[in-house]
Amino acid sequence: MSPSSSKDAPPPLPEPLRVAVADSHTHLDMQSGTVEEGLAKAASVGVTTVVQVGCDVKGSRWAAETAAAHANVHAAVALHPNEAPRIVHGDPDHWSRQGPRAGGGEAALDEALAEIEALAALDHVKAVGETGLDHFRTGPEGMAAQERSFRAHIEIAKRQGKALVIHDRDAHADVLRVLREEGAPERTVFHCYSGDADMARECAAAGYYMSFAGTVTFKNAAPLREALAVAPLELVLVETDAPYLTPAPYRGRPNAPYLIPLTVRAMAAVRGIDEDAMATALAANTARAFGY
Ligand SMILES: [Zn+2]
Ligand SMILES: [Zn+2]
């Protein structure tokens, strides 16, 4: 096998968890193989439930359909924070993926939001997200559209009584500000939590869930581990965000829900508790956060 093909190869199956957990945030539609294969592989190591997250109207429809077809898949629906500005600004790449309608402007965003709300009303859709702010990929020209979309998603989550899933990239203070201004829904999850210990204390005070991804296993992620160490155990979740953020020692290779045990073990070590206690808390927390 050449070095490049081994680098692209899926990591081996980890040792199974004894207590089953959920992957609180994944993108099965961006992973190789069928949904059934991915779910079976995950279940074989104790990852028996997944939350499938949509990032645009088409992906959100797919998430809802996939959740309807599989009892152990729950859906989250939204326009990703980097997607909202593309809709408003009529990005041709967005419209080529979404269909023939040439679009743009605030009306196009409203139309897309109305579709998200219709999906959010469905029974097997448990959350609105991922929404939030991304100051890393979206430049100043897209920020107004991004924030408007974030506020609209918060409203949808509250109207529909669903959890809110936050994407926060390099935007901690602004995300917390918008949540304060709008009033957060009863159940709010920071996906791929990336704040430090101080922010974890702030999230804890507000009752926000913090979902840790493979990044918590990275060598350079000491501040993230400090955040995990101070977060109340009952507010901690685990996720892959697959196909991204593959945990150590497989960083850079394709991620999938079956790799959750690696992250759970790293989290248990940070908390100084055993793996079963960690998994038991994660399973209960995810069910409570998403209301399934
Ligand atoms: Zn995200
Ligand atoms: Zn994601």
Side-chain angles (χ1 to χ4, degrees), residues 44-224:
S44 77
V45 292
V47 184
T48 51
T49 304
V50 307
V51 179
Q52 166 64 27
V53 180
C55 292
D56 56 21
V57 169
K58 199 173 158 193
S60 294
R61 268 190 216 125
W62 189 86
E65 283 162 19
T66 304
H70 301 272
N72 48 355
V73 177
H74 304 292
V77 297
L79 310 172
H80 191 280
N82 294 323
E83 191 67 15
R86 285 185 206 129
I87 296 174
V88 173
H89 299 143
D91 186 320
D93 176 55
H94 167 82
W95 293 105
S96 68
R97 280 182 289 117
Q98 297 305 305
R101 184 187 174 286
E106 306 263 306
L109 180 59
D110 287 338
E111 200 176 300
L113 286 166
E115 293 208 48
I116 294 299
E117 177 142 25
L119 291 168
L122 299 171
D123 249 7
H124 42 274
V125 173
K126 300 298 183 195
V128 173
E130 55 185 292
T131 180
L133 300 174
D134 188 322
H135 291 173
F136 181 78
R137 289 215 186 276
T138 293
E141 75 291 343
M143 279 183 192
Q146 192 173 77
E147 187 166 320
R148 188 161 96 77
S149 175
F150 182 24
R151 288 180 190 274
H153 282 86
I154 296 171
E155 295 306 315
I156 292 171
K158 288 199 283 192
R159 269 198 300 272
Q160 300 299 332
K162 303 293 165 103
L164 182 72
V165 173
I166 304 279
H167 169 105
D168 159 24
R169 188 151 185 202
D170 295 354
H172 305 324
D174 284 333
V175 166
L176 291 169
R177 171 183 55 83
V178 172
L179 285 172
R180 261 194 316 271
E181 288 170 2
E182 289 290 327
E186 216 170 287
R187 293 168 288 129
T188 295
V189 176
F190 275 73
H191 119 74
C192 188
Y193 179 82
S194 59
D196 61 9
D198 282 342
M199 180 169 160
R201 287 186 195 97
E202 202 171 335
C203 288
Y208 302 153
Y209 290 89
M210 290 160 263
S211 181
F212 289 83
T215 40
V216 79
T217 70
F218 294 175
K219 208 177 256 177
N220 61 356
L224 199 51

